[in-house]
Amino acid sequence: MATPALGIWKSSNGFPAVTVSTINEYKDAEGFFLVKVDVEGDPMDLELDPEEWDMFTKANALTPA
């Protein structure tokens, strides 16, 4: 399963680019992390596990740029 990586993730199907600025892994919830992202000027925090990140990137055809 994929894990987030810092930087810009671009889509091949028209989804806006996603910029990952920080990744914090939870110490008391192993395998879960908080990812700060920016999607076309809209900053947000995503709480995900590797399976959820994998689904997010596949659904939006995102790959690291």
Side-chain angles (χ1 to χ4, degrees), residues 5-64:
L6 296 175
I8 298 171
W9 290 66
K10 294 199 176 191
S11 174
S12 62
N13 70 359
F15 189 79
V18 175
T19 302
V20 177
S21 58
T22 61
I23 304 164
N24 294 315
E25 201 163 333
Y26 290 116
K27 296 192 187 304
D28 52 347
E30 191 176 326
F32 283 81
F33 40 84
L34 176 66
V35 182
K36 291 190 181 285
V37 300
D38 185 290
V39 180
E40 288 196 332
D42 187 15
M44 61 186 79
D45 296 337
L46 303 175
E47 290 183 331
L48 305 166
D49 65 23
E51 186 176 326
E52 292 168 324
W53 176 257
D54 197 42
M55 288 186 298
F56 175 72
T57 57
K58 284 181 180 176
N60 297 303
L62 294 168
T63 55

